[in-house]
Each structure stands twice: as C-alpha cells, then as structure tokens.
Amino acid sequence: MSTRTVRQKLGKDVWLQKILITSIVIVLFVSVLLPLGDLFSRAFINETGQFIGLENFTKYFSTPSLVQSFSNTMYISGVTTFFSVTLAFLFAFALTRTDMRGKTFFRYVALLPLFAPTMMHGIALTYLFGNQGILTTGFFGAFPGFDMELYGPLGIILSEIFYTFPQAYLILTVSLAFADYNLYEAAETMGAGKLRKFLTVTLPNVKYGLVSAIFVCFTLSFTDFGAPKVVGGQFNVLATDIYKQVIGQQNTTMGATVGIILIIPAIVAFIVDRIVERKQNSSVTAKSTPYKIIPQRARDVSFFVYCSLITAAIFLMLGTVIFASLIKVWPYDLSFSLTHYDFTKVAGEGMQPFWNSLLVAFLSAVIGTIVTFISAYMIEKARLMKGMRQIGYFLSILPLALPGLVIGLAYIFFFNHPDNPLNWIYGTILILILANLIHFYSVPFISATAALKKLDKEFELASESMGVPFYVTFWRVTVPMSLPAILENAVYYFINSMVTISAVVFLYSADFKLASVSIVNMDDAGDVAAAAAMSVLIVVTNIVVRIVYEIGTKKLREKTGAWQKR
C-alpha cells in the first residue's frame, strides 16, 4: 500500500472521528444540559411565563408544610445512611475478612434487593407491619401482635435501608477486598490489639470507600420516590412533593423549584465524591502482601449469625411479597390462588404494562449499550479534539448527580414545549428509552471507560501505521476484548429500566404504561395484592436475566480474560 493511499485513508478516518465526537457531544448536550437548563429557568418564572426571580424559592421556604418536607427528607436520608452503611460494612467485612462458611450464598443474596422496584420494599412492610400485617396480627391471632407506626418515617427508613444496602455493600466490599497485610503485621508487632488495628489500619484503608458509600446512600434515599409513595402516609418528602405539585396541582413552576432543591444535595455529594476519588492513593503496591484470613471460631460464628440474620430479613421481605401475591383475599381467605396475577380487573390494566416494560428495558439495554460503548471509545481512545472530548466526558458523568425525578421533570418542560423541534418524541416510547439511557448512562460509561483503559494504545497506533480504519480496529479488536464489560452494561441497563419509577413517572402516556407505574397506580387504588404480584414478575424477570447472563457468558469471560493471565 502506497504512502499516499495510507494518508488518504487516515484523512477520511480523522474526519469520521471528528464527526462522531462532535455528534456525541451534541446528543449529550441536547439530552442533558438543555433539559436541565429549561428546568432551572422554570423555577424563576410564574405560571404566565414572567420572570419573578427568587419568588418561587421565597414562597417555598415561607410555606411551613413545604419546609417540613425538606426537613423530613434530610432526616430520612441521614438515618437511612447511618444504618445502611453500618449494616453493609459489617456484611462486607464478614465476606472479605473472616473465614466463615457460605460466603458465595450470602454474596448473591445481598444483591437481591437490586432486582426489585423500591415500591416492593414498602409493599412487603405493609403486609408485615400494616393494619392487617402478619406480625401486626401475630400471625393472624396465633401469637401476640406487634404493632408499630409503619406509615410515616419508620416505614420509609426501613424501605430505604433495604434499597440502599446492596449499593453500600458493593462499594465497601471492593474497599475491604484490597489490603496490605504488612501493615497488620507491623501493628501486631508493636503490640496493637484487635480494636486498635481496626481503628488505625482497617478504617483508614477503607475511608474513601466509606465516604463514597455514605454519599451514595444519602443521595439515593434523598431522591427516592417509590418507598415514600407507598408507606409515607402523611409524612411528606421532597420527592412526593414534586409529584403532588406537578401531577396533583399542575403547578409546574413550583415543581421545578422543588426539583432544584432536590438536586442540590445530590450535586454536592457528587462533587465531594469526585474530589475524594481523586485524592485516593493506592493502598496496595507491588511490595504489598495479600491479606491473610486467620480462622477464629468465635469471630467467624458471630459474623455467620449476623449474615444469616441479614439474609433472613431479605428473604422475609421477598417471601412476604410472593406469599401475599398468592393469597386469595388477605387476611380473610388465606387459600392460594393466582387471581392477583390477572391484572385485567385492577388499575394495572392487564399484562400490557409488563410487556411494555420488557420492550422498553430491552430497547434501553440494546441502544444504551451501543451508544455508551461507542461514546466511551471515542472519548477514551481518540486522540483528536481534546477539548470536545473533555466536554463529552463531563456531560457523560453529569447524569450521575441527577435524580430520576429531576430528569423526568426536565424532559417534560423541554420536550413538551411546542417550539421544540424534538417535541414529536414526547408521549412516545422514545422519550422513555431516552430517559432511561440518560438516567443510567454514567455507570456504564465509567465501566466501559475502565475496560478500555486496560487495552494497550498500541492497538490503535499499529492500525494507524498500517492504514487500517479505526472502526475496523474497534470492531475486530476492541469489541471482542471488551465483550464481558459490554454485556454487563446491557444487563445493568435492562434491570434498572425494569425497576425504575422516578425517571418515567412523568413521561408515560395513558396508552403506554410501564409495570413500575402500574404498581403505583394499583397501590393508589387499593389493589395492593395485585401490586405485589406485578413486583414479583419484575423481580423474577430480572433474576432470570441475570442467571442467563452469568451462565451464558461464563466461558466467554474466561476466554476473553485468558490473555491477561499469560
């Protein structure tokens, strides 16, 4: 191949890369920044469109009930974070630093709440501690009853703990899995006891993971809509305030105002988490010694009992929902029946919402995975337009700080505007897919970027020197070697698209409801058993998808990762 031919091919390659990078930035700009800007502008105008400055915020903070919602949200988030991170830390410690049995089993059980919509935790608590709950009635009169104030802060906090526990556990497991045993040996040589080693070695080693877990749990509980909607009762929080302002009172400007208030703590948490991550130094070096787990019967048995209790609580929540969905008439006729899985007679409108969710989740997974990986590749591997790629990276991680409700609300204002040329997608399946893609975009993007960083840049350099177009290298080399990460991202998109409610609750059309939306509608209508049945369908679907992925990609992951072991 002549030098001139190679230069011509490289010239076309450069132009194609520039077009792709520019297109990625434009799409992210239109999908993230413009709707967010529209949301912010709405908070400073009245219902007639006149600029009123901070009047909406003044009105908000001068309304006692609305200010109380903010205080309630801070209280819920603070208490939830404390208990969730503490429980998750002990659970992660048990799986990484003890010699107890059943670690694999406990590891999988801890992830089960991820497969369920947040409303399901509230529904389970209703059947356990509600007015006619199993524990409230003492197993229907067999034992003394146990009554508690479920509908309010206690119910929300319990639901949020189950919701955020797996997230904190995943973060802390990674932090605790890496440790330099030399530090522990040195501390022991100096006469440090177990408590002192824990305080001076273990905690400092995982402090960044702890900070991340704290901010993740706080943000998730601060912005969650599902649990407060089901068990909140008259205890208002910011998420339900937005729903009431927009859906109940059609007060979009005040909804935008609450949305901005909702987003501030999330952005602060995001910024702090980014700063902490940059300051984090490697605690494990080439001279480090892997952590050695020394069997200690008392410790191992104690943590086994602890993990068994956490596992029992998770199974109790899931089992209660399954049990309730199969009971004919709770609590009067406890015979088993599949009546509640016939959704044609309730507010759920048959099985159609479930099929709609499957379709949206599948399309979100396929489109989201393709778009995310190509974007990550162009931003990470391309050597052109550095400024544009940095803007693209910023726009790619920005959704990590945006609550789902804020995204949904911003999309209402932006895409429903009659002057917007993209107005035609409002009320269609496309806006639901776009909302899911943006809502869950950052985590797959970071995951894809991490996978691409592991690939040597020599692949691209060698292709350039031989005149091979970048897209050929991308398809023949990068995609096969990154396939496990790509498929993992697809599963992530699918599962989260099945369980989400906050990002889509404002965007669905009357003739295209989703399963998560139908759960809220059924619960509002008093069809709690049917809502439980729909929740079970979502959980089972997500578990099946995850099992199929694990089994189907086991050999692929082993084959793809074999080159790293040579």
Side-chain angles (χ1 to χ4, degrees):
M1 187 182 296
S2 66
T3 304
R4 182 178 180 182
T5 304
V6 171
R7 287 178 177 175
Q8 287 177 342
K9 286 190 174 182
L10 288 177
K12 293 179 181 178
D13 220 34
V14 167
W15 276 107
L16 183 55
Q17 289 187 52
K18 287 183 177 180
I19 291 172
L20 277 174
I21 293 171
T22 305
S23 300
I24 290 168
V25 172
I26 291 174
V27 169
L28 289 171
F29 185 79
V30 172
S31 304
V32 181
L33 269 192
L34 288 184
L36 199 58
D38 205 350
L39 173 70
F40 272 76
S41 66
R42 293 285 180 131
F44 299 96
I45 62 175
N46 58 20
E47 291 294 334
T48 60
Q50 295 178 325
F51 179 78
I52 56 175
L54 298 175
E55 188 175 317
N56 284 327
F57 292 91
T58 303
K59 181 180 179 182
Y60 178 88
F61 286 106
S62 61
T63 306
S65 60
L66 296 178
V67 175
Q68 187 62 47
S69 295
F70 180 79
S71 301
N72 292 345
T73 308
M74 292 294 292
Y75 170 73
I76 292 292
S77 302
V79 176
T80 297
T81 300
F82 173 78
F83 283 103
S84 186
V85 173
T86 302
L87 294 172
F89 181 86
L90 293 174
F91 199 91
F93 187 90
L95 297 186
T96 56
R97 300 294 179 88
T98 72
D99 194 43
M100 70 175 192
R101 296 182 179 181
K103 289 185 179 181
T104 302
F105 172 73
F106 290 134
R107 187 176 293 115
Y108 282 114
V109 171
L111 301 179
L112 284 178
L114 292 175
F115 301 126
T118 57
M119 296 82 70
M120 196 193 84
H121 309 310
I123 292 172
L125 290 174
T126 299
Y127 278 105
L128 286 171
F129 300 105
N131 296 330
Q132 298 294 332
I134 297 175
L135 298 181
T136 305
T137 59
F139 286 87
F140 309 110
F143 303 98
F146 177 78
D147 194 12
M148 71 176 191
E149 295 292 333
L150 174 65
Y151 299 102
L154 182 58
I156 299 175
I157 289 170
L158 289 174
S159 298
E160 299 296 1
I161 289 173
F162 278 96
Y163 170 47
T164 58
F165 172 82
Q167 322 276 355
Y169 156 74
L170 288 172
I171 296 171
L172 294 170
T173 298
V174 174
S175 298
L176 286 164
F178 297 98
D180 185 359
Y181 193 68
N182 291 329
L183 297 175
Y184 289 89
E185 288 183 325
E188 193 169 335
T189 302
M190 297 173 67
K194 293 179 181 178
L195 179 60
R196 190 166 183 82
K197 283 191 289 185
F198 177 79
L199 295 174
T200 59
V201 181
T202 302
L203 284 183
N205 185 56
V206 300
K207 61 183 179 182
Y208 296 111
L210 272 172
V211 171
S212 291
I214 288 170
F215 280 117
V216 166
C217 289
F218 186 88
T219 304
L220 289 174
S221 55
F222 192 89
T223 59
D224 182 45
F225 170 76
K229 185 69 175 67
V230 175
V231 292
Q234 300 302 315
F235 192 83
N236 290 332
V237 295
L238 288 177
T240 52
D241 267 357
I242 292 179
Y243 186 80
K244 291 175 182 178
Q245 291 290 340
V246 176
I247 302 298
Q249 302 178 25
Q250 298 293 309
N251 189 349
T252 56
T253 57
M254 187 55 71
T257 303
V258 181
I260 292 177
I261 296 172
L262 186 71
I263 201 177
I264 291 174
I267 291 179
V268 171
F270 170 75
I271 293 172
V272 172
D273 189 49
R274 293 288 102 184
I275 293 173
V276 168
E277 185 176 321
R278 288 182 180 180
K279 289 184 176 181
Q280 185 172 1
N281 298 318
S282 299
S283 58
V284 179
T285 65
K287 297 180 180 180
S288 298
T289 303
Y291 186 85
K292 298 176 184 178
I293 299 176
I294 300 174
Q296 295 179 17
R297 181 171 176 77
R299 179 203 63 191
D300 296 341
V301 171
S302 298
F303 274 104
F304 178 83
V305 172
Y306 170 77
C307 290
S308 297
L309 291 174
I310 296 293
T311 299
I314 293 174
F315 276 140
L316 178 63
M317 296 285 281
L318 184 59
T320 299
V321 174
I322 296 173
F323 179 69
S325 71
L326 296 173
I327 294 300
K328 194 168 186 179
V329 182
W330 186 286
Y332 307 106
D333 184 353
L334 300 181
S335 59
F336 290 104
S337 171
L338 294 176
T339 303
H340 300 303
Y341 287 87
D342 178 11
F343 303 106
T344 56
K345 300 177 182 179
V346 295
E349 300 181 0
M351 282 290 290
Q352 194 57 48
F354 178 73
W355 303 128
N356 291 343
S357 283
L358 281 179
L359 177 61
V360 170
F362 174 76
L363 292 176
S364 297
V366 173
I367 298 172
T369 303
I370 293 172
V371 171
T372 303
F373 193 74
I374 291 176
S375 299
Y377 179 83
M378 297 308 303
I379 290 172
E380 176 63 28
K381 290 293 186 179
R383 293 183 295 150
L384 307 167
M385 307 175 72
K386 184 178 179 180
M388 287 290 282
R389 287 191 291 114
Q390 288 177 337
I391 294 173
Y393 183 82
F394 168 75
L395 293 176
S396 296
I397 63 173
L398 180 59
L400 201 61
L402 300 179
L405 279 174
V406 170
I407 293 174
L409 198 59
Y411 276 22
I412 287 181
F413 298 145
F414 182 70
F415 290 104
N416 195 32
H417 198 284
D419 296 332
N420 189 337
L422 297 174
N423 172 264
W424 59 274
I425 78 168
Y426 188 79
T428 69
I429 187 176
L430 292 178
I431 198 168
L432 297 175
I433 295 171
L434 182 62
N436 284 335
L437 196 155
I438 296 302
H439 187 198
F440 306 115
Y441 182 82
S442 297
V443 172
F445 174 82
I446 293 172
S447 174
T449 302
L452 290 168
K453 285 181 183 293
K454 295 180 181 179
L455 302 182
D456 200 325
K457 293 183 178 180
E458 293 296 327
F459 290 121
E460 283 74 29
L461 295 174
S463 298
E464 283 184 24
S465 64
M466 297 172 63
V468 178
F470 80 95
Y471 52 84
V472 174
T473 306
F474 172 80
W475 181 250
R476 292 184 179 179
V477 179
T478 307
V479 170
M481 296 185 75
S482 305
L483 202 53
I486 295 173
L487 295 176
E488 181 69 40
N489 285 344
V491 174
Y492 178 87
Y493 268 119
F494 183 91
I495 290 175
N496 281 282
S497 297
M498 284 294 295
V499 304
T500 187
I501 177 65
S502 57
V504 298
V505 70
F506 295 132
L507 301 174
Y508 71 94
S509 60
D511 57 348
F512 196 87
K513 291 182 179 178
L514 300 177
S516 58
V517 174
S518 72
I519 292 174
V520 173
N521 292 342
M522 286 187 283
D523 183 73
D524 283 342
D527 301 316
V528 185
M534 185 65 79
S535 299
V536 171
L537 288 180
I538 293 176
V539 172
V540 170
T541 300
N542 286 336
I543 291 176
V544 168
V545 168
R546 188 72 207 188
I547 291 174
V548 169
Y549 164 77
E550 293 289 344
I551 296 175
T553 61
K554 183 178 180 181
K555 291 184 178 180
L556 173 65
R557 283 179 277 126
E558 291 175 353
K559 182 179 179 180
T560 306
W563 67 275
Q564 298 178 354
K565 301 177 182 179
R566 294 177 183 174

